[in-house]
Amino acid sequence: DYSSDASKLFVKDVFGMLQTIIVDGSKEKLVGNLDALELVLRLIPSDCNLEVRSRAVTSVLELLIMHPMNVVSVRRVAGFDKLLQGLTNITVPLTLDRASLQASPAVRFGETICECLCYSAVLMSRHNFGVLQDTLRFCIDQTNTMHPVFRLQLLQCIRDMLRDRNSRALQPIPSLLLGEMVKAMEDLRASLRGPPEGATAGGSWRDDHTFLGTMRERLRSRHTHNNGVIVLLEALAHAVCADSAQVAVFAGVDGMEMLAAWFSSDTSPAVASLCLWLIFEFVYFAPESQDLTPLIVRLICSESLSVQKRMLLLAMLRA
C-alpha cells in the first residue's frame, strides 16, 4: 500500500538512492551506470504499483533535466520504447468525468510520460527525429491499445514536437513519415463507412481502444479540444509548413486528395472546415507546388457536397 505519506516518502527515498547510483558520482550528473538506469526504465511499463511507476518516470525526467546528454543514455537502453509501453497497461474507468480525469493519478502519470518524450525530442531534435518517429508510429499502430485519454495525450505530444521543429526551422520530417500520417488519416476515414473486414456484427469495433476506435469516438465529441482528428490535422500542418518543399512532398503522397476526401465526407463541421482551410493554406504557402484548379472544380461539381460546404468552399476561394 503506497497511499500513506510514509510509504510515498519511502518510495521517493528509494528512487533518490537509485538516481545517485545512476549518476555514479559524476559532478556533471551524467549517467554512469546504464544497468541502474535500465532498471528504473523497466519499472515504467511493469505491473508495479502506479506510485512506483510514476516515481520512475519522474526520476527519468529529472535525469534529463540534470544534464541534456543523459538523453543519449536513455536511448541506448531503449528507454523511449519503455516509456511508450508504459501507456498501454494503465486502467482508467471510462465513466470518469473530465474533472475526475484531470485529477486522476493515472492521467498525471501519462502526462509525465508525454512530457518526458517531448523534452527528449527537443534535446535530440538537431541530430535526429527518432523520438518523434517512434512516438508517431506507436500512436497510430492499430495493434496498440490504450485509454483514449493517453492516445490524445500522445497526439498532442506529436503535434508539439512538430511545432517545435517548425519554430526552430529544423530539417523537415522525411516523406516516409509524412506518408504514414496521411495513410493514418485515410484509414480512419475509410473506417467511418463501416466495420473493418472480419469484424462481427454487433461487435465493439466502434468503441475499442485502438487508434481507429479512439479516433472514431473522438469525432463524435462536441468539444474540438477532444477531437483527435483535429489534433492530427494540426500536426500535419506543422509538418508540411516546415518548408515550402514539403508541400510538394505532401501532394506526392496524396495528401491534398486526403484533405479533399475528408472535406467531402460526412464529418463534423470543425474537421471539414479545417481540411479545406489547410488545402488553401498549403497552396498559398507554396503556390508552385501544385495546380489546385482540378481539385477545386471536382469539389464544386460534386453532387454529394452539401449546400453549406459548397458555400464555404466558394467563400474561401473568393478570399
Side-chain angles (χ1 to χ4, degrees):
D1 180 18
Y2 293 94
S3 58
S4 66
D5 292 339
S7 298
K8 291 179 180 179
L9 182 61
F10 170 74
V11 173
K12 181 180 179 181
D13 289 343
V14 167
F15 277 96
M17 289 188 293
L18 284 171
Q19 274 191 355
T20 302
I21 295 172
I22 289 171
V23 298
D24 200 20
S26 169
K27 292 182 180 180
E28 293 81 13
K29 301 298 182 181
L30 282 166
V31 171
N33 191 324
L34 289 176
D35 292 334
L37 174 62
E38 186 175 12
L39 171 63
V40 172
L41 284 162
R42 286 170 58 188
L43 290 172
I44 296 171
S46 71
D47 295 328
C48 292
N49 185 279
L50 186 60
E51 182 67 28
V52 175
R53 297 169 65 191
S54 297
R55 180 54 62 177
V57 178
T58 303
S59 296
V60 174
L61 183 58
E62 288 172 352
L63 286 169
L64 294 174
I65 295 172
M66 285 179 188
H67 200 294
M69 287 301 296
N70 285 337
V71 71
V72 179
S73 299
V74 174
R75 185 186 181 190
R76 286 182 62 186
V77 294
F80 304 129
D81 291 337
K82 295 179 177 67
L83 284 167
L84 289 168
Q85 289 292 338
L87 295 172
T88 61
N89 60 342
I90 313 173
T91 303
V92 181
L94 289 172
T95 55
L96 290 181
D97 57 25
R98 181 172 176 80
S100 301
L101 274 175
Q102 288 179 333
S104 168
V107 173
R108 289 201 299 270
F109 171 70
E111 289 174 348
T112 309
I113 287 180
C114 288
E115 183 180 356
C116 200
L117 289 168
C118 278
Y119 189 51
S120 299
V122 171
L123 293 177
M124 300 184 68
S125 58
R126 289 195 177 276
H127 307 284
N128 65 62
F129 45 85
V131 181
L132 168 62
Q133 176 177 281
D134 293 345
T135 304
L136 173 62
R137 289 177 173 170
F138 185 87
C139 184
I140 66 179
D141 188 346
Q142 185 64 6
T143 63
N144 292 328
T145 59
M146 67 184 81
H147 191 280
V149 169
F150 303 133
R151 184 85 62 181
L152 184 62
Q153 286 178 349
L154 271 187
L155 286 169
Q156 292 169 338
C157 182
I158 293 165
R159 177 196 60 192
D160 293 344
M161 291 179 188
L162 288 166
R163 179 166 52 195
D164 171 72
R165 295 185 66 86
N166 196 355
S167 64
R168 292 190 289 147
L170 298 178
Q171 179 184 1
I173 64 173
S175 58
L176 179 63
L177 206 56
L178 194 58
E180 290 179 14
M181 296 176 72
V182 172
K183 185 179 183 303
M185 290 292 296
E186 279 290 355
D187 291 344
L188 175 58
R189 187 180 64 84
S191 73
L192 294 174
R193 296 195 292 264
E197 185 178 352
T200 57
S204 58
W205 70 275
R206 288 186 178 277
D207 305 310
D208 57 23
H209 288 177
T210 61
F211 170 72
L212 296 181
T214 297
M215 298 288 272
R216 278 191 299 263
E217 186 63 31
R218 291 290 167 176
L219 268 175
R220 294 193 282 268
S221 172
R222 291 176 299 174
H223 306 289
T224 55
H225 62 267
N226 277 342
N227 196 321
V229 176
I230 288 181
V231 178
L232 189 52
L233 285 170
E234 290 173 346
L236 264 175
H238 290 300
V240 176
C241 290
D243 188 277
S244 58
Q246 282 290 89
V247 177
V249 174
F250 181 69
V253 294
D254 295 330
M256 292 294 191
E257 294 292 338
M258 177 272 295
L259 291 175
W262 267 98
F263 173 70
S264 303
S265 66
D266 183 19
T267 186
S268 68
V271 172
S273 301
L274 181 56
C275 287
L276 184 61
W277 179 81
L278 285 176
I279 291 174
F280 285 103
E281 181 70 12
F282 291 160
V283 174
Y284 177 79
F285 183 58
E288 72 287 350
S289 63
Q290 187 184 23
D291 182 11
L292 195 63
T293 306
L295 182 64
I296 296 299
V297 170
R298 192 169 73 248
L299 285 175
I300 293 176
C301 297
S302 173
E303 296 181 358
S304 61
L305 207 63
S306 66
V307 175
Q308 291 84 354
K309 287 185 177 180
R310 202 180 303 276
M311 292 300 297
L312 177 63
L313 173 59
L314 292 173
M316 285 196 178
L317 187 59
R318 181 184 63 182

